[in-house]
Amino acid sequence: MIQRIGRRRAALLVAAAAATGMVVSGCGDSSGDGSGDGDKSIAVSLITKNSTNPFFVTMQQGAKKAAEAEGVKLTVAAGKEDGDEAGQVQAIEDAIARGDEGILITPNGPGVNPAIKKARDAGLYVIALDTPPDPANTVDITFATDNFKAGELIGKWTATQLAGKPATIAMLDLFNDKVVSVDYDRDQGFLTGMGIDTADKKKNGDEAKTGSYSGGSYTIACNEPTNGAEDGGRTAMENCLTKNPDINVVYTINEPAAVGAHKALQAAGKTQGVLVVSVDGGCDGVRQVKDGVIGATSQQYPLKMAELGVQAIKKIANDGEKPKVSEGLDFFDTGVTLVTDKAATGVDSITSADGAQRCWG
């Protein structure tokens, strides 16, 4: 890795001598002249899915803090919205052109994979955050929540809370026009936690629409995309209620979608007896648990992902030491914890008060 970065860096410095300088917005230590002190010339790009979701805003804040602490030059970019692959591709191209040592990215979909390959071929070390690409070896390593486990935790909790009652389930996913690992891992993890047989664990919506879960019978009323946004969650829930007004379980890809779903349920007078579950664990989401809007959420840790990513690229650039995946996984697991005020037997969890001590955003 030292040789890979070193050769690219040297070539870029030669080219820079014959070119006019560029000013790049960012933070961290930009005082280095590249004359031998690697710590002062390390540049990293963080490319998030968007800059509006509190999860990614927190990730950006964490990366900036880590960059300042580590003396790393950080450039922050993002797609315009969840699913904006073109915006992320442009940000990757920009990182290559600047001669960054590495990229941290929450990929918006498989459309960014060729650009990631181009970056790695150019000598950049690429770390995915939060969302492992498919295939996983598209990047050098991923730092992420075990999203399947996150879904499984809220699925097990839901099955326990139902106590044998029939489940009429709304599945409010991320997309319906592209395949992203975070989307199918959480969806399929939730169904697995419920005790529902899944067909292809990398495909949403191909399970039997009726059957048995671990406590009784189930019906899947709908699979609707939310784009991970509150308005998308509301529209998706409205569509689901049109298909089946008797929904009593709502799985949501994230907490903004859960809030939107709750507003749709509220407008329809359908909140009573409905379990809404989600994934994120942001401070607003934890408050929604406390207020009873969300029954349980799987808390993840974007600050940790961002900090570890910045530190890893600095270490790689300095001495070539690469991070390693967690045992038994193809990524580094940054942890997940179920947050609920209705503890379920056999499912480890913390209260919303404890979750508030660990939350972000």
Side-chain angles (χ1 to χ4, degrees):
M1 181 55 61
I2 293 174
Q3 290 180 343
R4 187 172 95 172
I5 289 178
R7 285 197 301 269
R8 176 182 55 79
R9 195 73 170 155
L12 287 164
L13 287 171
V14 170
T20 56
M22 287 182 64
V23 177
V24 180
S25 62
C27 64
D29 188 343
S30 58
S31 61
D33 59 8
S35 60
D37 188 346
D39 285 1
K40 292 186 178 181
S41 60
I42 297 167
V44 176
S45 283
L46 170 67
I47 305 169
T48 55
K49 292 182 180 181
N50 60 56
S51 291
T52 55
N53 187 312
F55 182 88
F56 300 119
V57 173
T58 298
M59 186 176 283
Q60 291 170 357
Q61 293 169 345
K64 289 174 182 177
K65 183 177 179 180
E68 291 170 359
E70 298 290 338
V72 168
K73 172 88 172 179
L74 180 72
T75 300
V76 175
K80 293 178 181 178
E81 59 187 2
D82 251 314
D84 176 16
E85 295 168 316
Q88 289 196 323
V89 169
Q90 183 59 58
I92 293 169
E93 295 281 0
D94 293 343
I96 296 169
R98 279 193 303 273
D100 288 357
E101 271 68 33
I103 293 172
L104 308 173
I105 183 168
T106 58
N108 260 329
V112 304
N113 288 4
I116 290 174
K117 182 180 185 303
K118 182 177 178 181
R120 294 179 69 190
D121 288 347
L124 284 75
Y125 195 87
V126 182
I127 299 175
L129 305 179
D130 174 59
T131 305
D134 192 3
N137 63 4
T138 301
V139 294
D140 288 287
I141 193 171
T142 296
F143 293 158
T145 305
D146 185 335
N147 283 297
F148 188 89
K149 181 179 179 181
E152 193 173 28
L153 284 170
I154 54 176
K156 288 180 177 178
W157 180 88
T158 300
T160 302
Q161 293 297 313
L162 285 168
K165 291 186 294 186
T168 303
I169 307 168
M171 300 293 295
L172 304 194
D173 295 313
L174 187 57
F175 301 125
N176 65 354
D177 60 348
K178 64 186 66 180
V179 179
V180 180
S181 63
V182 68
D183 198 5
Y184 61 69
D185 278 341
R186 292 181 186 180
D187 174 299
Q188 299 290 282
F190 170 78
L191 294 174
T192 299
M194 284 279 293
I196 296 172
D197 288 335
T198 57
D200 182 349
K201 288 194 182 300
K202 290 188 175 184
K203 185 177 181 181
N204 290 345
D206 65 345
E207 61 281 337
K209 299 308 178 188
T210 60
S212 298
Y213 76 95
S214 60
S217 63
Y218 78 87
T219 299
I220 294 179
C222 59
N223 280 82
E224 290 286 330
T226 67
N227 291 314
E230 182 178 324
D231 58 347
R234 181 165 187 160
T235 298
M237 192 69 238
E238 289 169 347
N239 291 340
C240 288
L241 288 170
T242 299
K243 294 175 181 179
N244 191 323
D246 298 323
I247 290 166
N248 62 349
V249 173
V250 181
Y251 155 84
T252 61
I253 182 68
N254 64 8
E255 289 161 358
V259 170
H262 175 76
K263 288 183 177 179
L265 289 164
Q266 202 169 36
K270 296 282 187 178
T271 57
Q272 192 69 28
V274 178
L275 298 173
V276 178
V277 294
S278 198
V279 178
D280 262 348
C283 292
D284 185 62
V286 171
R287 282 191 291 270
Q288 303 292 344
V289 172
K290 181 180 178 180
D291 293 343
V293 171
I294 297 174
T297 190
S298 288
Q299 187 172 64
Q300 48 184 346
Y301 304 103
L303 282 170
K304 185 176 181 180
M305 297 176 200
E307 290 167 358
L308 288 174
V310 170
Q311 293 164 1
I313 291 178
K314 178 182 177 180
K315 192 165 186 60
I316 292 161
N318 284 340
D319 59 28
E321 184 179 342
K322 302 177 185 179
K324 297 178 181 178
V325 299
S326 299
E327 185 176 354
L329 300 172
D330 57 6
F331 60 94
F332 182 90
D333 184 5
T334 54
V336 63
T337 308
L338 185 72
V339 179
T340 182
D341 287 331
K342 296 180 180 178
T345 303
V347 187
D348 291 338
S349 65
I350 60 175
T351 66
S352 63
D354 291 330
Q357 299 300 313
R358 308 183 189 185
C359 69
W360 41 266

